[in-house]
Structure formats: C-alpha cells, structure tokens
Amino acid sequence: MISRLWRILIGKPLATRRAKHERLSKLTALPIFASDALSSTAYATEEMFLVLWVAGTVGLAYSVPLAIALAALLFIVITSYRQTVYAYPEGGGAFLVARENLGEVWGLFAASTLQIGYVLTVAVSIAAGVAAIISAFPFFIDYRIQLCVLFIALVTLANLRGLRESGTLFAPPTYGFVLVMVLMIGVGLFRLATGSLEPADAPPMPGVDLQTVTLFLVLTAFVRGGAALTGTEAVANSVKAFRPPESRNAAITLAWMGIILGSLFIGITYAANKLGVAPGLNAEGHVVKTLTSELAFKVFGDTPFSFMYYVIQIATTLILVLAANTVYADFPRLSSILARNGYAPRQLANLGDRLVFTNGILLLGGIAALLVVLFRGDTHALIPLYAIGVFMSFTFSQLGMVRRFMRLKPPRWQIFALINAIGGVTTAAVFMINFVVNFRYGSWLVLLAAGGVVVVLYKIRSHYQNVREQLSVDNYQPEPIHNHKVLVLVPGVHRGVLEALDYARRIAQPEDIEALYINVDPQAPPIYRRVLKRIGKEEDPQLHLVTPATERMRDRWDTYVKDIPLKMVDSEYRSLIEPITEYVEQMVERDDIDRLTVVVPEFYPARWWQRLLHNQSAWMLRLVLKRYPKVAVTSVRYFLKR
Amino acid sequence: MISRLWRILIGKPLATRRAKHERLSKLTALPIFASDALSSTAYATEEMFLVLWVAGTVGLAYSVPLAIALAALLFIVITSYRQTVYAYPEGGGAFLVARENLGEVWGLFAASTLQIGYVLTVAVSIAAGVAAIISAFPFFIDYRIQLCVLFIALVTLANLRGLRESGTLFAPPTYGFVLVMVLMIGVGLFRLATGSLEPADAPPMPGVDLQTVTLFLVLTAFVRGGAALTGTEAVANSVKAFRPPESRNAAITLAWMGIILGSLFIGITYAANKLGVAPGLNAEGHVVKTLTSELAFKVFGDTPFSFMYYVIQIATTLILVLAANTVYADFPRLSSILARNGYAPRQLANLGDRLVFTNGILLLGGIAALLVVLFRGDTHALIPLYAIGVFMSFTFSQLGMVRRFMRLKPPRWQIFALINAIGGVTTAAVFMINFVVNFRYGSWLVLLAAGGVVVVLYKIRSHYQNVREQLSVDNYQPEPIHNHKVLVLVPGVHRGVLEALDYARRIAQPEDIEALYINVDPQAPPIYRRVLKRIGKEEDPQLHLVTPATERMRDRWDTYVKDIPLKMVDSEYRSLIEPITEYVEQMVERDDIDRLTVVVPEFYPARWWQRLLHNQSAWMLRLVLKRYPKVAVTSVRYFLKR
C-alpha cells in the first residue's frame, strides 16, 4: 500500500541504461551553474544594510564601497577557481582538491563544510524566496514557515522523481531574473538622472538609537555581504558537464558569471543607496518587506509599469528556488562519493529507482526543513552560519591548489601558485573575520558541526573496515556443521503445526527434532487443585505443571504426531517469549549442538485486518532469537483461504 | 532498551499463582463499588442547572422536584438490581444477564453499550475532576486538556502496574467525599435557617435571553440529571467479591449506596437552589467554576473555615479519579470475557505480566484520552453521550431479569418479574427520552457506535471460527514434502556467505541447492562497452550482463565454493528486492518444487548504531517473500566481534 503511494509520487523506476549525461553549451551551462550564485544578490545587499543601518545614512553609505570590495574578492576567488577548472577537467570539488593535495583529513573537513554549506544553501534560498513572496503578498506572513517547508517538500519531491538539470528548466528563470534586475537598476538610475525620482535618504532604523560607524560594524557588514559569493564554486565542481573543450568553456562561463554577479550586486547596492530605500521591518524588527522588493516598488510602483514589481518578486522567488534545487544534485552526489569511499552509510551510495540518490535527497530535504523550522524561516538568522561554511571550503580548495602547483611544478607554476595563494589567504582571512564577528550568531556552531561530521565520517569508515576484515575469506575455513538440531515451537496441534513438523522432518532426522509447547495458563482450576491438596502434593511443581490444558495437548500430540518428542514448559508469567528464549539458551549452550534451527509455524491470514486478530509472537520471537549466534529462525506459514 | 523502560514503569512480572481474590466486608466494599455512582453527584446537579438556567429562577426551581424524581428512579433501578444480585451470586453484569436470557445478539448489544459506557465514565469523571481543580486553581484553566490526559495516563499506568481495588485505597477518599458533602449541605442549610446566609436567587444566565419553561426543557434537564444514576450497576457486577453471604451483603451495600447517593443528590440540588448559586461561565459559556465549587464557596468562603472550600474541591477530584479507576477493572475484564468467547482480539484475553489485562487497560486509556481531547475536556459536552449508554444497559439487564423469572418461575415470580419489568420499562423510557432530546448532542452517535461494535464483534468471531475450521486436523493428511530446494542469496563471497552455504548443505543435498547473486550495477564501464562494440555485440543482453563485477564474483565463487551452482541476475532498476522476488516466483511456480527454503546470510553488528550502516534488505525480503505459500525464509547470521 505504502509502496503504491510511493510509486504514484515518485513515478515508475528507470532502467540504469537510461542514465544519460548531456553535454552543455556555455549558454545552457551558465543558468544551471550560476543560478545559485546569482540568486544570492537577492539578499546580500539587504544583509549589509541590516548591519550598517544602525549607523543611519552615514552607515549605509559604506555599503557601496563594501559592495565594490566584495566584487574584488569575487574576482580573486573566480580567478583562482579558473585555475582549478583547468587543473581538474574531470571536475574539482573542494573535497577532491583538498584530499588529493592536503590529505585525507583536510579533504574530509572540506567535504563536511561543503555538505553543511549545501544544507544551508537550501534553507537560506528557500527562506529568501518565501520572503520575496511575503513582501508582495503580505497575506502569507503568518505562514512563512509552512511555506518554506512546503517549497522544500516540493523541490525534494521533484528531485526524487529525477528532475534533470536541463537548460530548458533553468534558462528562463535565471536569464529572466538577470534581465529584470538589470531593468530595475537601469530604470531606477535613469529616473534619478532625469529627476523623475529624487535622491533620498533612508529612514532611520526603527527601534534603535543611532550609533556611530565602528570598524566592527563595517567588518560585520562586509562578511554578511560575503553571502553574495556563495555558489561560485558550482562551475568548478562539474567541468565535465561542458562541451569540449571542457575546461576552456567552463572557465569562460565562470568569468561571465563573475561579471554578471558583481555588477548586479554593486548595481542593487548603489541604487538602493541613492534612492534611500531600506528593508521594511515589523514590530519585532524582522524583515517583512525585502530590500529588493522595496527597491522594485520605489522604481516601478508609481509608474504605469507597476506590474513589474510583481514580476520582479516572482522572478526572485523562482531563481531562489532553483538555487536550492541545484544543491539537490550536489549534496547527494558528494554523499554518494563519501559513501563509496566508506565514509558514509552505504544507503547513500546506491541510485534509487529514478536514477537519483534517493536517500541523499531525502536526507538533504529533511535537514533543510528542520533548519528552516528551527530558525523560523528567517533568512537573516541563517546567513551568519551560511557564509562561514562556504568560505571555509573556498580556503580548502585554494590552498589545495597551491600545494598542487608546488608538487607538480608545471611551467610558470610560481605565478599560478601565487594566484591561488592570494585567493586562499583572502578567503581564509574573510573566514576568520566571519568567525569572530558572527561568533555570537552561531559561527562557532558551524565549526563544531563540521568537526563533528568529520569524526562521524571516520567512525563509519573504521566500522566498514572492521567488517571487511572480519568477513574476509582469506585463510578462513568454516568449521562444518556436525550437529544440527531443529526445535519446532508448537502452540497446539493444528494443520499449520503439522506442516511445520513435516518441514522439520525434511531438513533434519527425526531424532534431531524436538517440539516445544509453552503452557501460558499454568494455574490449575480449583477442582483440580483440591485433588492435589487431598493427595498432599499441592506444592509439587512437577505435578503443578500437569494441568488439563497440558494433558489435552499431550493426548492430541500422541494421536497426531508420535515420532517427535514434545517438551512442555510452564510459563510462570504467562508470556511466550521468556520461556522460549530460556529454553533456546539452554540448547545453544550444549556443546553437542553447533547449529539450531527454530521452526516457527505461522498462519497467514487472507485479509490484512485479520492479522490484527492474532498475536504477533512470530516476529517478536525472531527479534529476540536474533541474539543467539548458533540459531537460525525459520517461519513456516500455513495459508488461510478466507 | 524499550523493554527496560517498560520494566521500570510497570515493575517486575508477577507469577500467576500470586493472583489472589480478597473477600470484602460491606464497609470496605461500599467505597470500592459506590465511588463511581457517588462521584456523579459532583456534576449531575450542575447538568440540570445548565439546562434549566435559560428559564431563570423559574426554571431552576424545577431542579428540586426533578432531583426527587430521579431519586425515585434510582430507587426503582436499585430495587431491580437487588434482585439481580440474588439471582446471580456469581456476579450478574448486563452482558451475562442479557445473553443468558435474551440471547446472543442482545448480550453483545449490552456488552458494547457497557464498554462504551465504561470509556465515557473515564472521560467524564476525569474531565469533571479536572473541572473541580480548575475551579479552585484558575491558573490551570489553559491546561484543561493536558491535565485530563495526564490524569488518564497516571490512572492507566497505576493499573498497568496492577493496582488492586483495595478498601485501603478507596475508603478514605470515598467516605471523605461523602463526609465533606454532608458537611457542606448541612452547614449551608443551617446558616440559612439561622439567617447567617440569606436565601437568594441565582443570577440570570449570561449571554442568553430569558426563555419560558417548556416540557422539552424539563425533560432535557431530567435526562441530563440522569447522569447521577451512572455507576449503580457496579455492585451487581461483582457480587462474589463480597464475604458470604455474598448476595445478602451485596444487596445491603447496594441499598446503602442508593440512600447515600439519593440524599446527596437531592441535598446538593436543594441547597444550590436555596442559596441561589449557579455555575460560573466564561465568555464562551463554558463552565469555569463548577456548581459544587460555587456552593462550597458560598457556604464556607466567608467563614473561618474557608479552607474547607479547598478540601471539598480536592475531595471531589479524588473521588472522581477513583471513579475513573474502577472502570479500569471492569472494561478489561469484560473485554477479556468477550475475547475468550472469540468476540474480541485474543490479545485482550491474556493476562499481562502484572496479572492485569494489559492490552485492555491500554485500549481503555487510549480511547478515553482520545475522547477527552476530542471534546476538549468539557464534561458538559460528554454527559449527553454518557447517560444514554448507561440507561441502555440498565434496560437490557432488567428485561433480561424479567425473561429469567418468566423462564424459571421461582415461587412468587410474578412479583419479582413485575419489579424488574417496572425497572426495565422506566429505564427504557428514560433511554428513549434521552435519545430524542439529546439527539443533536450526539445520542444517535452512541447508538451507531454500539451497533458498529456489535457488527465488529461478530466479524471477529466468524474469523476465528473460520481459522479454527481451516486449521482443524480431523481427516487431514499433510502431503509430505518430496522436493525441497534451497536458494541461498549471496551478496558476494564472505565468511557470512560461506556459513550460510554450509548451513544450506546441512539442510539439503548440494544438487538441491542454488545460489543467487544480484548485480545491482549492471551498466558496463565505458572501456568495456567499447570492447563489446568492437566485437559488434554491444546489444547482446547476455553479454551485457557479464560486467567486470559479475566476472570477479564468478572467479571468487569458483575459488571458494565450487560445488553449488551460482546464478547471476542483472537488476535493471538497481534494487535487490524485485529481481529476487521475480526469481523466487519462477521457482515456486515449478511443479518439481513443493518447498523452497530461502537462506539469507545476514551479519549481526556488535553495536546497535552499526546496524544503521547496513542495508536492511534482509527483513525487507522476508516481508516480501511472506506472500509465497511454498517459501520458508531462514536468516543465517554471522556475528561481528567489533
């Protein structure tokens, strides 16, 4: 029944041979790999504003230089990633690069930070997407969390169904988003220039008294704005998805992405500044109208093109959901790589019915949903955790590259190494700053989590190694089974039991078979006890066992079975399980038995509800008897017709 | 782990022989069997008031005559129950009486109404008990439902531990409650007489405009007040718990109970009238201060004995919880009787390890909790359903008695029959009225439920009969197993597998054994495909199977196993289950196989968390293979040391 539901939701299984890998042109690749990075422009500026705003317009003025600084940082990161792209035409994720050049531990560290980053990407992007909707349709404001969870569920489902990252899916929303953003910025600045919009100052931040600009404040704004750089590693991870010459095309795409991302980010920040817009906060100081939404409204709200406002909001939501969606390819892939290397549970390694890593997708969806609920769908609360993980993995891959150049020493390696060194050092620096200024916003938590994950990965690895050793067949001779005994559990004498006994006779000689009957109602009826009393044996336990129930059983046994000895045991506590396990334990301890098959006669009802009407002792028993090395449990079922 | 928790909560198992039955004196019996009935005085008057109040003081004035009328009804019911007590010294529950005299169907109907009544007793009593607490401690008002559930949980737990219905437990609260109630009434009337309290009129009902007294109104009040009679059947059910002469003692106790109950009920109603108190309602018109609480406050609030107010509230809560508790003996007992007669799932018949009907207790607790939640812990909403079930079972047992006298014709049977007839007719009449006036409050629901339960009971019965017939061994010869084949599922070649194969060799001849390997990664790697292409056989499915994986498997097999043939099957959809089941199906359909043992090698990790790191295919397989009649599934486990 459940499996049918699953089929309906997920669709028919796909044959392995249908796994195809389309090669992408630059134009189709860009939207696929850039959506994540570009989408971050939807919240990066806002994050800077929320920090600087406490210092009023003076503070907000810093946002433009900061945006430019971040664009420069972006340039550095991308230049060094271009080198990775050339160095690893097969695809150079931080994990691969770090492991190959810095060694196992750092590789795993990179992997775990990547994984954490992925999960946060989903959480942040979805939260931001929902924020965009709420800004346009305040009605949904009370359903923020529900909406987030709903979106995550939908994306998860889509990916379980095996949604392919096709250009057709990504191109329209991504290019659309870029287009409308450019439009917004352009029109905004044009109206400023033509004076149809007055340059204005942002209103003071509600509920906070004006503070002066401190270095700490600026640095905080800087690292928060660093969220704009998230997702830039996407291209490097999947170079081989490009049409040949793979590396070259990837590098070009990367450059284009950088240019678009940088200019959008600076553009939005500049326009927002000039037009004096600020995010709309509610009484608790939570963002209810995003900065981009306010900006879009300022630009188009009073024009005949006011519909553009809604277009922009929807485009924003779309690209953000897409951004989350890209992770649904990366996270499970990395998990499966880890699993193949024995670092993660095997279940994460196998492709599901639909040629996707089902378990990985479910895991990602689950954790992301949990995060969104914990942080009440608040982008602003998630960002501090987000950026830090990303910059960590940046650092790992850059330093990895440096080591690589120093190792392989290709022509002019010094320059290359230097470039990556610069990249690595800067990102490392940003990471440090991030860690410090965001400490009380949970940056320590991310580091802790990353460490924890690494430990777990190692534990898992060592377990799998142990298992392999223990199971290896080199110089191992199984001592053949000499004495195989069979114990048939008999609740009474009925067809099911006779079949079970017959089965037992088939797998062993009668003299090796024994039947066990548990009498769960040992208390002798009053009359009978009076008899015992009269003969003064009331306390004799042996006699006490022989109740009418057991006598009847004995008679039936002698009539219908004969050849197999029947043991009867009295259950003091009226439960089946304990006495049976006790009995089995005794048998297992005997040296003249090196394999015991416990045969459990079950009958299999015709309808499902009928199962509720029978004790589930069979599987309870199997559960308990599992613990005994020598024991093999076999259930012989008798099928009921009605 | 779970089982340990269970032990801690429930305590050590008790041996069957420790089941003891203490005989009760009248003085210890009264509190045990009367607590249920007496506790109903805590809400019966209020129920009348809530109906009559809409007609103002004029309406409320009717409550006294109604109380007297109900006392008369109580007298009738009790007189006819006294006859039951004499007729059934072994204990004459409605089920027994009705089945013996009116036949199976009516017996079952009585049983199901009784069961429904029991469940409602718990729900109503607990709700009323919580109401008493809330009246005294308004702080808890928002936790009404939680409190109800908590209480139910506690009572359930206590009974799972095997709480015995001892006089020591019941006497203090029950007698205490009677005492404080008498005190309250007494002091109240005394203060009235001495003029230290003025007779007053109740305030008009808030939020409703005054209505005139209609017959419908009076009748409704009457049947709602009928809640006072609930629980009077308790004594009759358990006559044999009394010291000899059982019947006589029971009859006397019954009479005493009637007298106390009647006078308390009339007393409270009268006092409440004279002092013009009415339940305190909140804005939504829900009772937040019970009538008895208001009365107690009026009587003691302004005296130096104001602490008595709290004493009364607590005493009320205690007796109500006790009342609920009594049902925890009745419901499971009746369930077990039904189960023994094959009308209810067997699980309800067996005594748990604390000598109580564990499943019955859990079932009762569960349903009661559900009801309380559904009705938001509102006594007033539950009452209409409550009384109707009770009066139904009254009727059944009375009419049963009539039939009995007409059948056995003891001396002066006409008189006895007449008495029961009167009892039966009156209760039947009350039931009818109840059904009509409470129709829109759900009385129809109770009737529907009662009918539904009867149907289910019958269905269950017929199922068990079917099973018995199908399993009976008379003139049945099991066709002996001629061809027993063994199929060993091999995920690879490791120690676990070798052990499993060894086991297979032990239970069958090598020629009857077959091994099956599922290749979940059938897609040949690129290089290999190129080879196939060169020899122009890329599309040959047979060849397509032979991937390096399978080749390696074949080699290892030939080195380590040899004697047993290995089949390799390719899993198109990368899942183990489907191809295995398909393969088994094919084997099962062969006529030359009449029993197939599927051996599943499992390894058993040393620690529980390690289990999460391995696919759970083994039990999945068992679950699926269950469906095939000829198949017996055996898991041979290899134990890991670390």
Side-chain angles (χ1 to χ4, degrees):
Chain A
M1 197 169 61
I2 291 161
S3 67
R4 192 169 304 118
L5 181 66
W6 180 256
R7 275 278 147 274
I8 293 163
L9 284 173
I10 305 307
K12 287 205 189 51
L14 297 174
T16 311
R17 70 178 67 87
R18 284 188 42 192
K20 58 163 175 24
H21 305 285
E22 54 171 338
R23 290 312 192 88
L24 304 168
S25 73
K26 291 192 286 300
L27 224 62
T28 46
L30 181 63
I32 294 178
F33 300 118
S35 58
D36 181 3
L38 296 179
S39 69
S40 50
T41 54
Y43 45 79
T45 306
E46 177 175 294
E47 286 304 317
M48 290 198 293
F49 269 49
L50 288 172
V51 176
L52 297 168
W53 202 2
V54 297
T57 24
V58 191
L60 289 179
Y62 280 83
S63 56
V64 180
L66 281 179
I68 295 167
L70 282 164
L73 179 58
L74 176 64
F75 173 77
I76 296 172
V77 170
I78 282 186
T79 354
S80 29
Y81 261 122
R82 281 170 62 89
Q83 304 201 120
T84 319
V85 163
Y86 280 106
Y88 290 90
E90 280 291 303
F95 170 56
L96 197 72
V97 178
R99 189 174 60 163
E100 191 175 300
N101 304 303
L102 307 176
E104 204 71 10
V105 193
W106 292 111
L108 288 180
F109 237 104
S112 76
T113 47
L114 270 176
Q115 294 291 61
I116 293 171
Y118 287 144
V119 176
L120 282 159
T121 309
V122 176
V124 169
S125 307
I126 294 293
V130 169
I133 291 182
I134 289 172
S135 312
F137 310 98
F139 161 79
F140 290 111
I141 201 143
D142 298 336
Y143 305 101
R144 183 187 289 270
I145 300 176
Q146 290 88 324
L147 271 181
C148 290
V149 174
L150 176 69
F151 274 119
I152 292 178
L154 289 179
V155 177
T156 309
L157 188 61
N159 282 279
L160 285 176
R161 291 190 65 99
L163 172 74
R164 289 263 155 278
E165 295 192 332
S166 62
T168 48
L169 170 69
F170 279 71
T174 312
Y175 287 126
F177 175 77
V178 175
L179 186 73
V180 291
M181 283 292 143
V182 171
L183 256 175
M184 180 178 74
I185 299 166
V187 174
L189 299 182
F190 174 81
R191 292 188 62 188
L192 258 174
T194 55
S196 85
L197 268 180
E198 292 303 311
D201 278 352
M205 192 172 192
V208 295
D209 34 12
L210 202 61
Q211 301 170 22
T212 56
V213 181
T214 64
L215 176 64
F216 184 81
L217 198 69
V218 177
L219 286 180
T220 317
F222 178 72
V223 292
R224 291 287 171 82
L229 276 69
T230 57
T232 36
E233 74 284 358
V235 173
N237 293 345
S238 29
V239 182
K240 69 168 179 298
F242 285 82
R243 292 229 184 91
E246 291 84 357
S247 299
R248 190 161 170 289
N249 288 332
I252 295 168
T253 316
L254 196 50
W256 273 109
M257 182 185 81
I259 294 161
I260 300 172
L261 175 55
S263 27
L264 277 190
F265 182 46
I266 296 177
I268 292 172
T269 315
Y270 179 75
N273 247 282
K274 280 280 162 257
L275 297 173
V277 292
L281 309 179
N282 67 3
E284 294 81 51
H286 292 310
V287 177
V288 287
K289 292 209 174 293
T290 65
L291 183 72
T292 33
S293 124
E294 292 293 61
L295 184 56
F297 193 77
K298 183 90 165 208
V299 173
F300 292 107
D302 58 352
T303 69
F305 305 103
S306 56
F307 67 88
M308 276 303 291
Y309 169 72
Y310 291 97
V311 174
I312 291 174
Q313 292 317 102
I314 290 160
T316 312
T317 308
L318 280 181
I319 195 171
L320 281 162
V321 172
L322 274 190
N325 181 71
T326 52
V327 174
Y328 275 82
D330 305 333
F331 179 94
R333 194 191 299 118
L334 181 48
S335 309
S336 76
I337 295 173
L338 287 171
R340 279 191 220 292
N341 292 301
Y343 283 113
R346 262 183 214 142
Q347 293 89 318
L348 292 172
N350 30 37
L351 277 169
D353 306 346
R354 301 282 295 182
L355 290 170
V356 294
F357 298 106
T358 313
N359 296 324
I361 291 172
L362 287 171
L363 188 64
L364 173 61
I367 306 177
L370 189 69
L371 272 178
V372 168
V373 173
L374 286 179
F375 288 83
R376 319 199 51 65
D378 179 358
T379 323
H380 186 52
L382 285 160
I383 290 285
L385 310 184
Y386 186 22
I388 191 160
V390 174
F391 275 96
M392 239 167 123
S393 56
F394 281 166
T395 314
F396 286 129
S397 72
Q398 303 314 337
L399 297 185
M401 287 301 291
V402 177
R403 274 299 303 283
R404 183 165 190 283
F405 286 118
M406 289 164 67
R407 226 177 58 244
L408 305 179
K409 298 201 180 12
R412 318 215 320 290
W413 64 274
Q414 296 86 341
I415 303 127
F416 297 135
L418 182 66
I419 295 174
N420 280 120
I422 295 168
V425 172
T426 27
T427 48
V430 176
F431 162 74
M432 308 286 196
I433 303 170
N434 216 321
F435 183 72
V436 176
V437 300
N438 285 327
F439 192 82
R440 63 198 180 99
Y441 300 104
S443 60
W444 58 274
L445 217 147
V446 177
L447 215 60
L448 204 69
V453 170
V454 173
V455 173
V456 171
L457 295 180
Y458 263 110
K459 262 208 145 324
I460 293 175
R461 170 69 169 284
S462 72
H463 166 67
Y464 280 133
Q465 276 166 338
N466 285 339
V467 173
R468 206 172 304 107
E469 289 159 19
Q470 293 179 65
L471 290 181
S472 86
V473 285
D474 340 337
N475 52 61
Y476 159 79
Q477 262 313 317
E479 63 284 358
I481 303 168
H482 298 300
N483 298 305
H484 172 233
K485 292 248 180 299
V486 177
L487 178 67
V488 187
L489 305 176
V490 291
V493 178
H494 59 60
R495 297 191 183 191
V497 171
L498 296 190
E499 285 230 340
L501 290 168
D502 209 38
Y503 176 79
R505 290 197 196 86
R506 197 66 185 69
I507 65 169
Q509 302 313 317
E511 61 270 22
D512 293 330
I513 307 176
E514 217 176 74
L516 177 62
Y517 172 78
I518 305 296
N519 172 27
V520 291
D521 182 14
Q523 200 169 34
I527 316 102
Y528 189 72
R529 226 201 267 95
R530 234 171 282 127
V531 180
L532 284 175
K533 195 177 208 116
R534 207 178 307 113
I535 59 174
K537 294 226 172 139
E538 194 183 21
E539 292 322 312
D540 179 336
Q542 272 325 94
L543 269 173
H544 197 69
L545 295 191
V546 193
T547 70
T550 44
E551 278 170 354
R552 207 167 49 255
M553 178 65 190
R554 173 70 61 192
D555 299 342
R556 289 171 64 78
W557 190 264
D558 297 341
T559 7
Y560 292 101
V561 187
K562 306 181 199 59
D563 62 335
I564 293 169
L566 170 68
K567 293 263 187 317
M568 295 211 220
V569 171
D570 210 0
S571 165
E572 237 196 349
Y573 303 121
R574 299 160 306 283
S575 103
L576 284 172
I577 309 297
E578 283 81 1
I580 292 178
T581 39
E582 276 168 27
Y583 194 87
V584 169
E585 256 172 36
Q586 290 165 14
M587 288 189 83
V588 171
E589 275 152 16
R590 282 163 50 186
D591 313 340
D592 63 329
I593 299 181
D594 39 32
R595 181 63 77 177
L596 174 66
T597 303
V598 179
V599 175
V600 187
E602 274 182 80
F603 46 83
Y604 192 77
R607 283 177 211 68
W608 68 267
W609 58 265
Q610 298 173 338
R611 236 159 283 161
L612 305 174
L613 302 177
H614 303 283
N615 300 330
Q616 305 303 316
S617 348
W619 71 260
M620 272 288 282
L621 270 171
R622 184 170 293 112
L623 221 64
V624 181
L625 296 180
K626 253 183 190 250
R627 294 202 313 270
Y628 302 103
K630 290 179 181 175
V631 178
V633 183
T634 308
S635 53
V636 176
R637 286 179 313 293
Y638 183 83
F639 279 65
L640 300 176
K641 311 276 164 302
R642 48 195 163 79
Chain B
M1 196 169 61
I2 291 161
S3 67
R4 192 171 301 119
L5 180 67
W6 179 256
R7 275 279 148 274
I8 294 162
L9 284 174
I10 305 307
K12 286 204 188 53
L14 298 173
T16 312
R17 69 179 69 89
R18 286 194 34 199
K20 62 167 172 21
H21 305 287
E22 55 171 340
R23 290 311 192 88
L24 305 167
S25 73
K26 292 193 284 299
L27 225 62
T28 45
L30 181 63
I32 293 178
F33 300 119
S35 57
D36 181 4
L38 295 179
S39 68
S40 50
T41 55
Y43 45 80
T45 305
E46 177 175 292
E47 285 305 316
M48 289 199 294
F49 269 49
L50 287 172
V51 176
L52 295 168
W53 202 2
V54 297
T57 24
V58 191
L60 290 178
Y62 280 84
S63 56
V64 180
L66 282 179
I68 295 167
L70 282 164
L73 179 59
L74 175 65
F75 173 77
I76 297 172
V77 169
I78 282 185
T79 355
S80 28
Y81 261 123
R82 281 170 60 90
Q83 304 199 120
T84 319
V85 164
Y86 280 106
Y88 291 90
E90 281 290 305
F95 171 56
L96 196 72
V97 178
R99 189 174 58 164
E100 191 175 300
N101 303 303
L102 306 177
E104 203 71 10
V105 194
W106 293 111
L108 289 180
F109 237 104
S112 75
T113 47
L114 270 176
Q115 294 292 62
I116 292 170
Y118 287 143
V119 176
L120 282 159
T121 310
V122 177
V124 169
S125 307
I126 294 293
V130 170
I133 291 182
I134 288 171
S135 312
F137 310 99
F139 161 77
F140 290 111
I141 200 143
D142 297 336
Y143 305 103
R144 183 188 289 270
I145 300 176
Q146 290 88 325
L147 271 181
C148 290
V149 174
L150 176 69
F151 274 117
I152 292 177
L154 289 178
V155 177
T156 308
L157 188 61
N159 282 279
L160 285 176
R161 289 191 65 98
L163 171 76
R164 289 264 156 276
E165 295 192 330
S166 63
T168 48
L169 171 69
F170 278 68
T174 311
Y175 286 126
F177 174 77
V178 175
L179 187 72
V180 292
M181 282 294 143
V182 171
L183 256 173
M184 179 179 73
I185 300 165
V187 174
L189 299 182
F190 174 80
R191 291 187 64 186
L192 259 173
T194 55
S196 85
L197 268 179
E198 292 303 312
D201 279 351
M205 193 171 191
V208 296
D209 34 12
L210 202 60
Q211 301 171 22
T212 56
V213 181
T214 63
L215 176 62
F216 184 82
L217 198 69
V218 176
L219 286 180
T220 315
F222 177 72
V223 291
R224 291 286 171 82
L229 276 69
T230 55
T232 39
E233 73 284 358
V235 173
N237 293 345
S238 29
V239 182
K240 67 169 180 296
F242 285 82
R243 293 228 183 94
E246 290 84 358
S247 299
R248 192 161 168 289
N249 289 332
I252 295 169
T253 316
L254 195 52
W256 273 109
M257 183 186 79
I259 293 161
I260 301 171
L261 174 55
S263 25
L264 277 188
F265 183 45
I266 296 176
I268 292 171
T269 316
Y270 180 74
N273 249 279
K274 279 278 165 262
L275 297 173
V277 293
L281 309 180
N282 67 2
E284 293 82 49
H286 293 311
V287 178
V288 288
K289 292 208 175 293
T290 65
L291 183 72
T292 33
S293 125
E294 292 295 60
L295 184 56
F297 195 78
K298 184 90 165 209
V299 173
F300 292 107
D302 58 352
T303 69
F305 305 104
S306 53
F307 67 88
M308 276 302 292
Y309 169 72
Y310 291 98
V311 175
I312 291 174
Q313 291 317 102
I314 290 160
T316 312
T317 309
L318 280 180
I319 195 172
L320 281 163
V321 173
L322 274 189
N325 181 70
T326 53
V327 175
Y328 275 82
D330 305 335
F331 180 94
R333 194 192 299 120
L334 181 48
S335 309
S336 75
I337 295 172
L338 288 172
R340 284 221 173 74
N341 293 302
Y343 283 112
R346 273 195 202 124
Q347 292 91 317
L348 292 172
N350 29 36
L351 276 168
D353 41 26
R354 296 286 292 185
L355 289 170
V356 294
F357 298 106
T358 313
N359 296 324
I361 291 172
L362 287 171
L363 187 64
L364 174 61
I367 306 176
L370 189 69
L371 273 178
V372 168
V373 172
L374 285 180
F375 287 84
R376 320 199 51 66
D378 180 358
T379 324
H380 186 52
L382 286 160
I383 290 285
L385 311 183
Y386 187 22
I388 193 162
V390 174
F391 275 96
M392 236 167 128
S393 56
F394 281 165
T395 313
F396 285 128
S397 73
Q398 304 313 336
L399 297 185
M401 287 302 291
V402 177
R403 276 296 304 283
R404 184 164 190 284
F405 286 120
M406 290 167 67
R407 228 177 56 244
L408 306 178
K409 298 201 180 12
R412 317 214 321 285
W413 65 271
Q414 297 86 344
I415 303 124
F416 298 134
L418 183 66
I419 295 174
N420 282 117
I422 295 169
V425 172
T426 25
T427 47
V430 176
F431 162 72
M432 309 284 195
I433 303 171
N434 215 323
F435 182 72
V436 176
V437 300
N438 285 328
F439 193 83
R440 65 200 179 97
Y441 300 105
S443 60
W444 59 274
L445 217 146
V446 177
L447 214 60
L448 203 69
V453 171
V454 172
V455 173
V456 172
L457 295 179
Y458 263 110
K459 263 208 146 318
I460 292 176
R461 171 69 170 287
S462 71
H463 166 68
Y464 281 133
Q465 276 167 338
N466 286 341
V467 173
R468 208 173 302 108
E469 289 159 21
Q470 293 180 66
L471 290 180
S472 86
V473 286
D474 340 339
N475 52 62
Y476 159 79
Q477 264 313 317
E479 63 284 357
I481 304 167
H482 297 299
N483 299 307
H484 172 232
K485 293 246 181 302
V486 177
L487 177 68
V488 186
L489 305 176
V490 292
V493 178
H494 59 60
R495 296 190 184 193
V497 171
L498 296 189
E499 284 230 340
L501 291 168
D502 208 40
Y503 176 80
R505 289 195 196 87
R506 197 66 186 69
I507 65 170
Q509 301 312 316
E511 60 270 23
D512 292 332
I513 307 176
E514 212 176 79
L516 176 62
Y517 171 78
I518 305 296
N519 171 28
V520 290
D521 181 14
Q523 201 167 35
I527 316 101
Y528 190 71
R529 224 197 270 91
R530 234 170 283 128
V531 179
L532 284 175
K533 195 176 208 114
R534 208 177 307 114
I535 59 175
K537 292 227 173 142
E538 195 184 17
E539 293 321 311
D540 179 335
Q542 271 324 93
L543 271 174
H544 195 71
L545 295 192
V546 193
T547 71
T550 44
E551 277 171 353
R552 208 167 47 252
M553 178 65 191
R554 173 70 64 194
D555 299 343
R556 289 172 64 77
W557 190 263
D558 296 341
T559 4
Y560 292 101
V561 187
K562 304 179 197 62
D563 62 335
I564 294 170
L566 170 68
K567 292 265 188 313
M568 297 208 214
V569 171
D570 211 359
S571 165
E572 241 197 345
Y573 302 123
R574 299 160 307 284
S575 102
L576 285 170
I577 310 297
E578 283 79 3
I580 291 177
T581 41
E582 276 167 26
Y583 194 85
V584 170
E585 255 172 36
Q586 291 165 11
M587 288 189 83
V588 171
E589 276 153 15
R590 281 163 51 184
D591 313 339
D592 63 328
I593 298 182
D594 39 35
R595 181 63 77 175
L596 174 67
T597 303
V598 179
V599 175
V600 187
E602 277 181 76
F603 46 84
Y604 191 78
R607 283 180 211 67
W608 67 267
W609 59 264
Q610 298 175 338
R611 233 159 286 161
L612 304 174
L613 301 178
H614 303 283
N615 299 331
Q616 305 303 316
S617 352
W619 72 261
M620 272 289 281
L621 269 171
R622 186 171 292 111
L623 220 64
V624 182
L625 294 180
K626 255 184 187 238
R627 294 202 314 271
Y628 303 103
K630 290 177 182 177
V631 177
V633 183
T634 307
S635 53
V636 176
R637 286 179 312 293
Y638 183 83
F639 279 64
L640 300 176
K641 311 275 166 300
R642 50 200 160 78

